[in-house]
Amino acid sequence: MVLRAWSDVRRSWRPGHAPALLVIPLGLIVTVCVVDVLSPPHIHLGPLLVAAPAITVAFAGARTTAAVGALAVAAQVLIGVLRGVSDTANIQAQIAALIVVSAVCVAVCVVRDRHERQLHQMRSVAEAAQRVLLRPLPAQSGPLRIAGLYIPAEEEAELGGDLYAAARTAHRSTRLLIGDVRGSGLGAISNSALLLGAFRAAAHRQATLPRLAVHLDGAFRWDTSQWRPQAEQDTIEDFATAVLLDIPDDEPVVHLISCGHPPPLVLRGNRLIPLVAEASHLPIGFGGAFGITDYAVQTFPFEVGDLLLLYTDGVIEARDREGLFYPLTERAPQWTTDDPDDFLRRLQSDLLAHVHGHLDDDAAVVAIRRLPSGHPPAL
C-alpha cells in the first residue's frame, strides 16, 4: 500500500493540463509582492498570496501546484525581509499558514489525479465492453453499405439497452437485428448481451427468419426466468422490442419481422416509405409466454439506391425544451443522397441540436444503402 501511494504521488507530479493559465497565479504573486513592498507600513497584502496555489489547483497537477506554492512562500519571505518585519510573529504566522494551504492544495491534486486515473480505467473497461457486446457493423455486406450509430443517454455511459447486430448467411443474404431492451442499467446491459449473443449464435444458420425469431424469444425468456421461482414466472417483465431483417443479395427486397418495434423507413429519392408490418408481434420475451410459435414475415421493396433506416424509440421520442418530438420523418429525406456514414453524422448532429445535447433515452440507428450488384467495396 505504501509503495502504491508513493507511486501515485510520483505520477501526480507532472506539469499542469493548462500551462497558459499559469500566468494568473504567477501574475498574482508578482503583483502582491510589488504592491505590498511599495505600500505604506499599515497596509499588508501578503495574506492574498494564498490565492495563488488555490487557483493553480483548479487547472494544474501536484507538481505545478507545489511549485506555485513554493514561489508564494518565497514571495512572503521576501516581503518580510524588504519591509524589515521578517522576525515578527505576524509575518511568521502568514508564512506558516501559506505553507499549510500549499500542502493541502498539493494533497488535493494527488487525490484528484488518482480518481481521474481510476475513472480513465473504468472508461477503458466500458469501451472494451462496448466493443465486445456491441460490435461495429460491417461497412459492406454483399451489395449493402452499412453504418451504425449508438448515442447513450448518459454522457459517461458507453452501453445501454439499445442494440444492433448483423450476420452474413451462407445463402447470400444479410441478416440484421435492431432492438431496445426494457429498463436501464446493468440489467438492461445484461439482457442486451443475452439477445446479441443469441442472434450471433443462430443468425448465420440456414433457419428461416421465423425460426430465428422463435429462437431469440426462447433464449431470452429462458435466461431471464430460469432462476425465478415458479410462482413468479408469470410476472417477469424483461422483454425487448426488435425488428429482424433478411436482405438477399440478388433480390431487391427486404424481409422483416416486427416485434413491437418502430417501423423501419425506406428513403427513395425524396420519398419516405414506412415499412409497417401488417402483423406486429409481441416483444421478444413475451412470445413464448403466450404460446406464439409462428411469426409472419413481411416483404417490402428495397431497390438499388434506396436507403433503409432502422432506429430505436430513443430517436423519435427525443424531445426539445418545448416538449416537441424529434421530427425524424421530416428531417431524414434531406440527407438521402449521403453515404450511410455521412447520413448518420448529419442525423446525430441534428438530433443532439434538437435536444440541446442531452437525450433522455439511449438511441441507436442503422443506415443501409443497396448498391448495384458487383459494386466494389468502399475504401
Side-chain angles (χ1 to χ4, degrees):
M1 292 295 294
V2 174
L3 292 177
R4 179 177 297 179
W6 174 243
S7 177
D8 288 339
V9 171
R10 290 184 61 189
R11 284 196 297 268
S12 68
W13 275 61
R14 60 181 185 273
H17 302 294
L21 294 179
L22 280 174
V23 174
I24 298 175
L26 294 179
L28 176 64
I29 292 173
V30 173
T31 301
V32 170
C33 189
V34 172
V35 174
D36 196 303
V37 170
L38 298 180
S39 296
H42 63 280
I43 297 178
H44 300 281
L45 299 181
L48 294 178
L49 289 171
V50 297
I55 292 173
T56 307
V57 75
F59 62 83
R63 179 180 179 180
T64 304
T65 301
V68 171
L71 287 176
V73 172
Q76 186 71 277
V77 172
L78 179 62
I79 290 173
V81 170
L82 293 179
R83 301 194 66 166
V85 293
S86 59
D87 57 345
T88 63
N90 183 38
I91 195 69
Q92 291 175 0
Q94 292 180 19
I95 293 173
L98 188 53
I99 292 174
V100 171
V101 170
S102 299
V104 170
C105 290
V106 172
V108 169
C109 283
V110 172
V111 174
R112 182 196 62 197
D113 291 348
R114 183 184 302 172
H115 289 168
E116 287 181 352
R117 286 191 297 273
Q118 292 173 347
L119 180 59
H120 177 72
Q121 291 173 351
M122 293 174 61
R123 287 176 178 172
S124 299
V125 172
E127 291 173 359
Q130 183 188 35
R131 287 192 294 268
V132 171
L133 297 181
L134 196 65
R135 300 173 188 169
L137 294 173
Q140 185 113 9
S141 177
L144 305 179
R145 284 279 291 136
I146 306 174
L149 170 66
Y150 185 88
I151 311 175
E154 298 295 334
E155 184 177 354
E156 301 300 335
E158 295 290 343
L159 187 64
D162 290 14
L163 56 98
Y164 51 69
R168 186 73 177 158
T169 69
H171 54 274
R172 296 178 56 82
S173 73
T174 301
R175 284 183 173 170
L176 295 112
L177 164 71
I178 187 165
D180 186 358
V181 174
R182 173 190 175 275
S184 58
L186 293 178
I189 295 175
S190 176
N191 288 338
S192 296
L194 165 64
L195 196 55
L196 287 169
F199 175 82
R200 290 170 182 148
H204 66 283
R205 298 176 182 171
Q206 301 299 324
T208 62
L209 208 58
R211 289 179 62 86
L212 176 60
V214 171
H215 170 78
L216 295 182
D217 184 88
F220 189 88
R221 180 169 174 77
W222 175 80
D223 193 89
T224 55
S225 64
Q226 60 176 321
W227 304 117
R228 297 176 186 260
Q230 188 64 33
E232 298 180 8
Q233 295 300 309
D234 295 333
T235 64
I236 297 174
E237 297 182 354
D238 292 324
F239 64 87
T241 64
V243 172
L244 282 168
L245 306 99
D246 189 89
I247 307 176
D249 292 354
D250 53 1
E251 294 182 69
V253 296
V254 55
H255 308 294
L256 69 85
I257 293 175
S258 176
C259 298
H261 199 78
L265 304 174
V266 166
L267 303 173
R268 183 173 297 149
N270 293 326
R271 294 175 56 202
L272 185 145
I273 307 170
L275 304 187
V276 181
E278 295 179 2
S280 182
H281 300 281
L282 292 173
I284 299 294
F286 281 164
F290 291 90
I292 299 175
T293 58
D294 187 22
Y295 287 82
V297 178
Q298 293 285 127
T299 301
F300 298 92
F302 182 37
E303 302 172 358
V304 172
D306 288 352
L307 185 72
L308 177 62
L309 193 63
L310 316 175
Y311 55 93
T312 60
D313 58 9
V315 176
I316 56 176
E317 294 181 0
R319 297 174 182 261
D320 62 11
R321 292 174 179 171
E322 287 72 38
L324 299 177
F325 291 114
Y326 179 70
L328 176 64
T329 56
E330 297 177 12
R331 304 289 177 82
Q334 302 175 20
W335 313 310
T336 53
T337 58
D338 290 343
D339 177 82
D341 291 294
D342 294 333
F343 178 93
L344 292 187
R345 278 191 288 268
R346 288 174 177 263
L347 176 60
Q348 179 180 14
S349 177
D350 193 60
L351 176 62
L352 293 179
H354 179 80
V355 298
H356 302 281
H358 178 72
L359 284 170
D360 293 327
D361 191 12
D362 297 341
V365 190
V366 178
I368 308 156
R369 186 178 295 283
R370 182 184 283 278
L371 305 175
S373 298
H375 191 281
L379 298 177

